[in-house]
């Protein structure tokens, strides 16, 4: 059931939100990554919060989704935030509290309410 849900999200909602992510000012950003098995390039919309060392993302569907597994395998990716390209040079686990703190108050409240605990720092090149 979980795999069917992830497939549906990947092939419907992600395509719509990717369009929004390409324009500045929206809530979505794009992570550009290369498939670890196929070698193909992909773009996946995610929501991030800017921090001094890069960006924080919340792993809504866990750490076993393709985009995350691809960037961990590669050790890097590109992130498009508000139309600006950033090179991600490392991915680091951070605490749930630090992850929630990175987001603005309304989002932080929702993340706490939903008991989100999987956050990652996408460290960018300086």
């Amino acid at each position: 059931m979980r795999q069917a849900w992830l497939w549906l999200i990947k092939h419907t909602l992600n395509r719509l939100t990717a369009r929004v992510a390409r324009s500045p000012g929206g809530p979505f950003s794009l992570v550009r990554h290369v498939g670890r098995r196929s070698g193909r390039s992909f773009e996946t919309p995610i929501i991030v919060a800017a921090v001094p060392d890069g960006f924080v993302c919340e792993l809504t569907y866990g750490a076993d989704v393709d985009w995350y597994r691809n960037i961990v395998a590669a050790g890097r990716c590109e992130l498009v935030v508000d139309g600006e390209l950033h090179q991600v040079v490392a991915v680091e686990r951070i605490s749930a509290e630090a992850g929630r703190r990175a987001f603005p108050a309304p989002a932080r409240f929702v993340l706490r309410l939903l008991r989100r605990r999987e956050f990652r720092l996408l460290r960018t090149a300086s």
Side-chain angles (χ1 to χ4, degrees), residues 61-117:
Y61 303 110
D64 61 342
V65 292
D66 286 333
W67 73 265
Y68 180 71
R69 292 172 65 193
N70 289 343
I71 68 171
V72 168
R76 62 185 175 83
C77 66
E78 294 180 337
L79 187 63
V80 180
V81 181
D82 287 329
E84 188 176 328
L85 184 66
H86 301 271
Q87 298 296 321
V88 173
V89 296
V91 180
E92 302 168 16
R93 179 186 296 260
I94 60 172
S95 71
E97 187 55 39
R100 285 190 294 265
R101 249 193 338 262
F103 287 86
R108 191 175 329 138
F109 174 76
V110 171
L111 291 167
R112 186 179 305 280
L113 187 67
L114 295 175
R115 297 182 181 165
R116 297 299 181 193
R117 297 189 152 340

Side-chain angles (χ1 to χ4, degrees), residues 8-123:
L8 181 66
I9 293 295
K10 181 191 235 179
H11 291 89
T12 57
L13 186 60
N14 280 4
R15 289 181 182 182
L16 296 172
T17 54
R19 289 183 190 156
V20 174
R22 286 187 188 89
S23 58
F28 296 102
S29 300
L30 278 178
V31 61
R32 292 181 177 160
H33 53 98
V34 177
R36 61 196 179 284
R37 291 176 292 192
S38 68
R40 290 179 41 206
S41 294
F42 296 97
E43 291 183 332
T44 303
I46 62 172
I47 297 176
V48 298
V51 294
D53 292 332
F55 297 90
V56 170
C57 69
E58 188 269 325
L59 300 179
T60 304
Y61 303 110
D64 61 342
V65 292
D66 286 333
W67 73 265
Y68 180 71
R69 292 172 65 193
N70 289 343
I71 68 171
V72 168
R76 62 185 175 83
C77 66
E78 294 180 337
L79 187 63
V80 180
V81 181
D82 287 329
E84 188 176 328
L85 184 66
H86 301 271
Q87 298 296 321
V88 173
V89 296
V91 180
E92 302 168 16
R93 179 186 296 260
I94 60 172
S95 71
E97 187 55 39
R100 285 190 294 265
R101 249 193 338 262
F103 287 86
R108 191 175 329 138
F109 174 76
V110 171
L111 291 167
R112 186 179 305 280
L113 187 67
L114 295 175
R115 297 182 181 165
R116 297 299 181 193
R117 297 189 152 340
E118 291 288 325
F119 293 87
R120 299 298 186 269
L121 169 64
L122 305 178
R123 189 175 295 278

